[in-house]
Amino acid sequence: MPKTKTTSATADRTYDAIVIGGGHNGLTNGAYLAKAGLRTLVLERRHLVGGAAITEELRPGFWFTTFSYALSLLRPDIVQDLDLVKHGFMPILMPTTFCPKEDGDYLLLGQDHGENLREIGRQSKHDADAYDAFNHDVLKVIQAIKPLLDEVPPDLFSDDPEELIALAALGQRFRKLDKKVLHDAVRLLTGSAADFLDDYFESDVLKGYLASSAIIGTKVGPYSQGSGLVLLYHILGEHDGEMGAWSFHKGGNGGFTQVLSRAAQALGAEIRLESPVERVITRNGRATGVALADGSEFYAPVVVSALDPRRTFLELVEPRELPTDLVETIQRFRFQGTSSKVNFALDGIPRYPALGDRIDQYRGFTNIGPSMEYLERAFDDAKYGWYSKRPYLDTAIQSLVDPDMAPPGKAVMSCFVQYTPYHLRESDWDAEKENLGDTVQATLESFFPGFGDLVLQREVRTPLDIERTVGLSEGNIFAGEFLAPQMFFFRPAPGWAQYRTPIDGYYQCGSGTHPGGCVMGAPGKLAAGQILKDRARAQA
Amino acid sequence: MIRTTPFHERLAALNETGLWEHWSNHLAATRYQMSEKFEYFAIRNSAGLFDSSPLYKYRIHGLDAERFLAGVLARDIRTCQPGHAQYTIWCDDRGFVVEDGVILRHGPSEFVLTAAEPNLAYFGELIGRMDVTIEEVSDDWAVLAVQGPRSRDLLSALAPAVGGLPYFGLTSTRIAKVPVHVSRTGFTGDLGFEVWAPAADALTVFDAIWGVSRGQGVIPIGMIALYMARIEAGLLLLDVDFHSSRFAWTDADRSTPIELGLGWMFRDLANDDREFIGGDAIRREIAGKTSRWKLSGLVVDWQDYDRIYDRAGLIPPKDHTPIQDEYYIYDDDLNQLGYATSQMYSPILQRHIALARVPLDRTAPGSRVKLELAVNHRYEYFDANVARTPLYNPERRTA
Ligand SMILES: Cc1cc2nc3c(=O)[nH]c(=O)nc-3n(C[C@H](O)[C@H](O)[C@H](O)COP(=O)(O)OP(=O)(O)OC[C@H]3O[C@@H](n4cnc5c(N)ncnc54)[C@H](O)[C@@H]3O)c2cc1C
């Protein structure tokens, strides 16, 4: 990408819309704006787009999903609206979920329903049909809640008739729900995952597996109130119509953002790499453009921040340009990243003793979280400012189902690690980075004897690395914690959940806005809708 | 007695499901893995191995073989040079399709034709006084289709000649010292090859291919995965998308090549001086524009699909399992227009797709029809757009 020429005429640097940040939300937003005919510029700080969703060849032939590694919440309408299939969109099925236990046994779920119920029955006969009941109940909640992912939250604090109607419609929808479904929804949205799961199951490994979705990316344990919300969030997605299912994308999540980038460009968006934005230029309370770190400027009546709320409100603009209560809310907005990645290039596929030479169990997630107690103990360490001695690991060997990710016979293994709090007591992540790598490797060794001998290369990404590389404050993977006071009407701040900001023409579309983090694109899409609506109004 | 193919010993060991179907009196795996969708992804991302051995195979040779085939096959065999293969059809004298198959031309007068059903009597009766011999060689050859983006690299590691094979090229080479034919053909619409091994040496050849495939995501694929791929590729299946005119009871069950979307076979008909069975009728059909319908692709409008299911209180299903059965299509006033013969949710296109017989005034891509499907125990009518086949057509298929 050419760097800006300072000599170029202002006209060349004037757009209808400028998007700050080429993560998947910035790209989605830019693509929708371009599709609507706006001359759109996406400015990305790094040498590649994708933000937290990138795939890098860190060793010849080995492609690492450096951070984000699987898809589920991606809104299906984005795939269709932006014609992503034409640009290479290709989710890949995960045919298995493997949950090793500490006693050497395991839970292995696959594609055959009958086989899964037998396998669960091996752990607890009671849990076999309980699993069906659980899925049915949860699906009903998903069906009720899921539409919220595709809607702008109504503004609770506005007297605008349109907002009041939207609010009433929302109320109506919930009132029409079956009592049990509504009650289950509230239990999940406010309670702990452990309470909910205990109502259905006996088996520790099954509960450990299901509860893992309740802690991902968040500083809660399965016994914490609020973990139910995280659980619900992680199962609101789908893979080819299968609710709650996850998939890989060909070439990793970075493969996906490359598809998105091609689609955005095909729709007319211009993407400039290595273009860090220093600040948003405002005049008389209106955004008029952006200034890059090198001093060059670009102009547009619409400027969209695809960064997290801290950067959007406290760094890209002067806090004094904003209402004090908003500044305060954003200062109190919880980031407290607790997740890391440790990725491995492997010389072969690890073996699990109880399964002998079998390797087909690794074709989806391998969940190192054999019980809720294991997860909660991992969380205990984090409460007191340290990383888990025996961390929770969500691992995946994508190269088994996407062989282009590693040379034949070799493998790449992605390990999502919790808990690794951003703020360490009496140390820092520069000092602890490789120790964390050792901790993770030792944990893997305990489940897969001989694992260490397979390691060709190890890449550790701590919350500090996530913050430094991607720009996510405190390394929070969702650009802000999934806590009730930071969701829906309140994401990122009461009164500012509709992608606008107090500065005219300045919008927000990152994961810190509704519905939140994960590779879902909904913030980018919904924000584009608001921007286009405001434009239409202004022109009317 | 049901029979097994020459690869059966190896493939049976790889079949985790115990599911088999009967195909021309042979056991053929429905699927090997618990999920056929996973096999489907092997075709699109790595390579799938499909055992096509149960196909009927006829060796056709003799000095007049070319002249004979030029007269009985509807597609001009003279355009298929030795070292090439051709997808072809044969028609009756009213211009209706009897069957389709792939023909390999090993030499000027040496051919092998594949067919889904027996055709020895049919062709035999047409020889007359020509110097042509037809023998059924179905059991002589074991045929393993290697289909998917990795297929070329895998096979050329064993037989370098495969590396340079053009689309529908054919070569004779060796794999693990066994003399084999390899044709760049298949039924998946992807880059792919078929390896023809003498039945007695089938396992040696299989082991060699399996050996180089390890660690590359290659797996055997069953019938369902093959059907998924072929619907996306718009490849026709006998007794699903068309019926043999020989055995049809009514003309409604017969189709012409033009109606089946095979008009491209006759692009050069004006310069084609052959007298072939059905030729006059096909010429008349083209000149008089008398086709009754055209087999076209359909893509269901996803928003309409979701809306109808949402309204019924159901989560919109996205089931990749091919439905190879008739479903009717209508205009906006619910007058029947035609029918779909195959449909499925395509994981690669992320849409529900179908192959359907649509009237000629709706064949332009983007034309709208309504597809009838049952939702919550009653019929609903889904918006669908006509689209050109193949609905999925990766460049590597022909590159
Ligand atoms: C380790 C990890 C694992 C995860 N795993 C998953 C997963 O498996 N599945 C899933 O769905 N989600 C996962 N997530 C969450 C998901 O990846 C993120 O929520 C999502 O990618 C965020 O997208 P975004 O576009 O909102 O922001 P980001 O991806 O953070 O994009 C912001 C972009 O802005 C750029 N930028 C920053 N500052 C500037 C500036 N001043 N000027 C210009 N550009 C700038 C950044 O370089 C970046 O490209 C994971 C996240 C992490 C960190």
Side-chain angles (χ1 to χ4, degrees), chain A residues 59 62 64 344-351 359 397 399 406-413 450-458, chain B residues 215:
Chain A
R59 180 187 178 91
F62 292 82
F64 288 75
F344 296 94
L346 299 179
D347 200 18
I349 307 294
R351 295 297 193 270
I359 56 168
I397 305 182
S399 53
K410 315 276 185 219
V412 279
M413 182 173 185
F451 178 83
D453 300 336
L454 297 173
V455 176
L456 300 171
Q457 185 167 332
R458 185 175 88 191

Side-chain angles (χ1 to χ4, degrees), chain A residues 80 240 250 363 404, chain B residues 33 37 45 150 350-351:
Chain A
Q80 308 292 352
D240 282 353
K250 177 131 190 81
R363 295 175 300 174
D404 296 332
Chain B
Q33 315 261 329
K37 191 169 163 191
N45 275 324
R150 295 211 161 192
Q350 298 274 300
R351 309 266 181 114

Side-chain angles (χ1 to χ4, degrees), chain A residues 77 80 85 89-93 95 111-112 115 139 143 238-241 243 250 363 401 403-404 408-409, chain B residues 33-35 37-38 41 44-46 150 215-217 302 313-316 318 345 347-351 392:
Chain A
D77 50 345
Q80 308 292 352
V85 168
F89 178 72
M90 198 204 271
I92 300 176
L93 177 77
Q111 293 289 309
D112 189 80
E115 190 180 34
L139 267 180
Q143 192 187 26
E238 64 172 285
H239 168 62
D240 282 353
M243 296 298 131
K250 177 131 190 81
R363 295 175 300 174
V401 293
D404 296 332
Chain B
Q33 315 261 329
M34 288 303 182
S35 171
K37 191 169 163 191
F38 186 63
F41 276 114
R44 299 295 184 220
N45 275 324
S46 172
R150 295 211 161 192
Q216 308 230 27
W302 63 275
L314 298 172
I315 291 172
K318 294 180 180 169
Y345 171 76
I348 209 160
L349 300 171
Q350 298 274 300
R351 309 266 181 114
Y392 176 66

